[in-house]
Amino acid sequence: MTTDHVIDEADRDALRAKYRAERAKRIRPEGNDQYIEPTGRFAHFLDDPYVTQTPREPINRDVNVAIVGAGFAGLTSGARLRQAGVEDIWLIDGAGDVGGAWYWNRYPGAMCDTAAMIYLPLLEETGYRPSMKYVPAAEIFAHAQRIATTFNLYENALFSTAVSGLTWDEDSERWHITTSRGDLLRARFVLAGTGPLHRPKLPGIEGLETFEGHCFHTSRWDYAYTGGSRSGEPMTLLADKRVGIVGTGATGVQCIPHIARAAGDLFVFQRTPSSIDVRNNAPIDPAWYDALPSGWQYDWLTNFATLQTGGFANQDYVMDGWTDISIRIRDRVVANLATEGLTPEAMRKAYEESDDEKMAEIRARVSAIVRDPATAEGLKPWYRQLCKRPCFHDEYLDAYNRDNVHLVDTDGRGVERVDATGVWVGDTHYPLDCLIFASGFEVGTEYARRAGFETIGRDGETLSDHWSKGMTSLHGLNVAGFPNFFLLGFAQAGNLFSNVTHNFVESGTTTAAIIRHALSTNATRVEVDPAAEEAWVALVETAPTSFLFDPECTPGYYNNEGQEMTTKTLRQTRGYPEGPVAFFSYIDRWRTSGDFTGLRFS
Ligand code: NDP
């Protein structure tokens, strides 16, 4: 356990020096390569523990639309296509059902800390009222199923089916899709909703494969081993077990209180503590909800996106930790305006000042909750809040007051070695029955690697080659040389990280408008004009580099693990220069104008 000397929170120079020293402990020269890919002898970490695959005959046929990925990106697009009257839509997903991240992540305590009113897409269209301000994963998964049912997307769904290749066939003007089940679908249009946090990664710890106890990644929770269920039944089979967990990001923070209650002993191997702010969950009042005016969700989405990006609104509808962060920064900029002006430097200073205040509060909260002073010191984050994904939880810190919970603070080094019986940190061996990896997902690696297949466009060019110098697109959605192909994401578009589903609903609406236009004009092909793509990329490159990439930030997936951001890495992180609200308004005008400038229909 390390205890740091007490920092005078008001002494900014000392604080900066402390931040730099903590960062230096964590920088790994190998960056993203420090993680182990779940392939080869680690491939079993991806096995689906939730369904048994039923054999079926391979499918060989023409289809109108294929959607790769049945998470919220694919589902919202499917819904918008149905609303536009498009038929013959096929969902393809490696999972056993719809839901994407919410199919896979069933770990105890899993929930979404973006408010359900804005995170759950198409609430008005499906007539659903969320139970709480922040809802558990099972409720989110059920909502994904509700969207699929409401919009008849189960009709042609291929589950437990991984796409293995996607190749444009110039003669038929169709995409040839091959799968792990031996299918060959020839699709007129393909939508790729493969998700931003889809592919689990494992910590690069020496000897990981030698562990002879039980071991799994949080996105493949093994309730057969732990007992209990995703709906909250206690994990009684852990009562006599020594459990270790590696990872204290958003996932670790949510599941640790639950494992703490169930396990004989829990050892939390911490490399970097998360910032844990107040969660303050509450039920949604049905009467209040039912009285909301028609169109309320669009207003809430716009309100949140406005406040999240430093804008002004009469009211903060969502009122959560995310808007609190942004409003603090914005108000500080306004307060400093008279003395500092509105320069990038003034904005940065305002951000730093409000962040210093917030992080002092976060560290004080640790001391107020965690009784053992050394443990409390170990749990204090020494970096700016937005260097890492901020967390919001009301039980996490208290879990460390239990006698059976042991914080093993590795002082930034991480676990050194795993052997057959446990884990080594420094000279100490921790014998374990079970080792759980809450080690996150690949971000920033090549698109084809994360998607699990290569996309080969017109002229035989792969998407990886096309993007060898970085992502290129029109609106983040269409790519020159890849006809009838739609990427459902947020990069080079709205880029609203804190409410990812808002981006998905928008890209779904745009995709449906384009495909509807193609079908109604009997066009068999939609292509991006390369000049339009070039101009769009040039435009997004004028966007200011996010302060998330601050070179003084502690490393993590927000900042390419602290490695230099190259043109290539920056391109997949950029959005519309004027921000998401302006982008959503721009793209709405673009898709409703009927001109579809930048696309060629033939
Ligand atoms: P993260 O990538 O955020 O965290 C991975 C954790 O593993 C970090 O604590 C990391 O430490 C640790 N780690 C990695 N390698 C080692 C090692 N060798 N030794 C010790 N520790 C190690 O993954 P999560 O699954 O927690 O979260 C991923 C994302 O998923 C979130 O950021 C969020 O966007 C999303 N999510 C959203 C939720 C929601 O409520 N909406 C809930 C859960 C997840 P270090 O920090 O030092 O790198």
Side-chain angles (χ1 to χ4, degrees):
M1 183 80 59
T2 53
T3 49
D4 291 290
H5 66 280
V6 176
I7 295 278
D8 174 0
E9 295 278 5
D11 182 345
R12 286 188 202 281
D13 288 340
L15 194 60
R16 293 287 167 272
K18 170 78 173 157
Y19 282 11
R20 279 193 295 274
E22 292 295 325
R23 175 184 192 272
K25 290 177 191 171
R26 291 169 173 83
I27 285 289
R28 299 253 187 142
E30 66 273 37
N32 263 319
D33 290 338
Q34 71 179 281
Y35 298 105
I36 296 174
E37 218 186 328
T39 52
R41 63 195 161 153
F42 300 106
H44 65 276
F45 278 97
L46 295 185
D47 290 349
D48 184 345
Y50 314 126
V51 288
T52 316
Q53 239 186 58
T54 36
R56 64 167 173 80
E57 289 301 313
I59 295 171
N60 186 327
R61 56 167 292 167
D62 288 354
V63 304
N64 191 21
V65 179
I67 304 180
V68 183
F72 280 137
L75 290 172
T76 49
S77 281
R80 290 294 190 235
L81 285 167
R82 284 276 191 239
Q83 288 175 318
V86 177
E87 296 297 330
D88 195 26
I89 300 169
W90 289 67
L91 286 182
I92 311 172
D93 202 301
D97 202 335
V98 299
W102 302 104
Y103 172 87
W104 293 114
N105 286 284
R106 302 182 183 204
Y107 57 84
M111 65 189 320
C112 183
D113 53 19
T114 299
M117 297 287 282
I118 54 165
Y119 183 77
L120 293 184
L122 310 182
L123 280 174
E124 291 189 86
E125 290 87 335
T126 54
Y128 182 64
R129 168 170 40 82
S131 63
M132 306 279 289
K133 180 165 184 174
Y134 307 100
V135 290
E139 187 170 337
I140 304 173
F141 176 55
H143 187 63
Q145 293 177 312
R146 183 174 302 108
I147 294 174
T149 308
T150 306
F151 294 98
N152 202 19
L153 296 169
Y154 276 122
E155 188 180 48
N156 295 318
L158 301 178
F159 295 125
S160 302
T161 302
V163 168
S164 52
L166 195 54
T167 307
W168 175 253
D169 178 56
E170 186 67 21
D171 294 337
S172 62
E173 294 187 311
R174 285 177 180 273
W175 285 98
H176 285 194
I177 305 168
T178 52
T179 76
S180 57
R181 299 290 200 110
D183 307 309
L184 173 61
L185 298 183
R186 295 173 294 274
R188 178 69 71 206
F189 301 100
V190 167
L191 281 53
T194 48
L197 293 161
H198 158 75
R199 195 171 162 76
K201 65 186 189 205
L202 300 168
I205 305 172
E206 189 194 322
L208 194 131
E209 69 283 5
T210 63
F211 183 61
E212 289 175 3
H214 204 72
C215 192
F216 55 88
H217 187 273
T218 43
S219 66
R220 305 290 188 275
W221 195 270
D222 191 351
Y223 283 107
Y225 176 83
T226 62
S229 73
R230 74 180 310 185
S231 44
E233 275 95 355
M235 296 179 286
T236 47
L237 302 181
L238 290 183
D240 60 348
K241 300 285 191 293
R242 289 168 62 91
V243 180
I245 185 164
V246 174
T248 50
T251 299
V253 165
Q254 290 185 342
C255 65
I256 282 167
H258 294 261
I259 314 171
R261 283 198 284 275
D265 280 286
L266 172 63
F267 297 85
V268 180
F269 299 101
Q270 174 187 270
R271 190 163 71 178
T272 310
S274 279
S275 71
I276 318 289
D277 208 348
V278 174
R279 138 137 279 151
N280 215 3
N281 204 1
I284 287 182
D285 174 5
W288 168 81
Y289 186 87
D290 293 344
L292 289 168
S294 165
W296 69 265
Q297 198 176 26
Y298 177 81
D299 292 343
W300 277 60
L301 289 169
T302 307
N303 177 269
F304 181 78
T306 303
L307 294 172
Q308 262 292 272
T309 48
F312 290 88
N314 288 338
Q315 211 184 326
D316 175 2
Y317 291 148
V318 172
M319 277 201 293
D320 68 354
W322 295 107
T323 54
D324 176 60
I325 294 170
S326 332
I327 291 172
R328 270 169 183 264
I329 299 171
R330 183 201 68 192
D331 289 351
R332 177 71 66 152
V333 172
V334 173
N336 289 358
L337 208 56
T339 49
E340 309 281 343
L342 196 59
T343 61
E345 205 28 62
M347 310 261 285
R348 180 169 292 275
K349 185 164 177 279
Y351 161 55
E352 284 191 17
E353 286 172 5
S354 67
D355 190 79
D356 288 350
E357 271 172 28
K358 171 50 82 179
M359 290 307 281
E361 262 176 51
I362 297 267
R363 289 186 286 267
R365 185 168 185 246
V366 180
S367 294
I369 296 175
V370 179
R371 286 194 288 274
D372 174 56
T375 307
E377 282 310 307
L379 288 165
K380 289 182 182 173
W382 294 102
Y383 49 81
R384 294 197 191 122
Q385 191 182 25
L386 293 175
C387 290
K388 282 199 172 291
R389 169 66 149 70
C391 295
F392 308 93
H393 213 283
D394 293 338
E395 295 164 49
Y396 175 71
L397 293 169
D398 191 40
Y400 292 92
N401 289 326
R402 299 178 63 102
D403 291 340
N404 67 328
V405 177
H406 317 280
L407 175 70
V408 184
D409 179 11
T410 66
D411 197 22
R413 292 189 311 276
V415 170
E416 264 115 23
R417 194 153 55 86
V418 175
D419 65 14
T421 56
V423 153
W424 287 89
V425 174
D427 295 335
T428 310
H429 183 250
Y430 296 86
L432 298 171
D433 299 301
C434 175
L435 181 56
I436 300 170
F437 295 122
S439 46
F441 303 86
E442 287 196 10
V443 178
T445 51
E446 293 284 327
Y447 175 77
R449 169 170 156 170
R450 280 178 290 126
F453 57 87
E454 187 54 273
T455 306
I456 305 175
R458 204 192 52 205
D459 309 327
E461 188 187 26
T462 64
L463 195 54
S464 302
D465 282 343
H466 190 68
W467 285 354
S468 59
K469 294 196 180 74
M471 178 180 173
T472 56
S473 74
L474 175 66
H475 304 150
L477 188 65
N478 298 108
V479 185
F482 295 78
N484 298 7
F485 178 69
F486 299 82
L487 263 176
L488 310 171
F490 43 82
Q492 301 190 354
N495 228 27
L496 184 67
F497 291 119
S498 44
N499 188 20
V500 168
T501 55
H502 187 172
N503 303 271
F504 294 157
V505 173
E506 288 292 334
S507 50
T509 309
T510 310
T511 301
I514 296 170
I515 293 182
R516 181 67 267 160
H517 183 73
L519 293 176
S520 57
T521 55
N522 290 323
T524 48
R525 190 182 182 109
V526 183
E527 277 205 78
V528 181
D529 177 353
E533 182 182 84
E534 214 175 293
W536 186 257
V537 173
L539 177 72
V540 295
E541 287 199 325
T542 64
T545 300
S546 166
F547 52 66
L548 295 185
F549 308 137
D550 190 321
E552 295 210 338
C553 259
T554 193
Y557 81 81
Y558 270 19
N559 54 38
N560 196 25
E561 297 296 336
Q563 304 299 306
E564 197 192 340
M565 297 296 290
T566 60
T567 308
K568 185 172 177 176
T569 44
L570 276 172
R571 273 205 190 158
Q572 61 175 348
T573 63
R574 293 220 196 259
Y576 191 63
E578 289 165 47
V581 179
F583 175 76
F584 297 143
S585 160
Y586 158 81
I587 202 70
D588 188 50
R589 289 193 304 276
W590 181 88
R591 69 189 167 221
T592 48
S593 73
D595 298 338
F596 298 103
T597 310
L599 293 184
R600 294 183 194 141
F601 293 77
S602 57

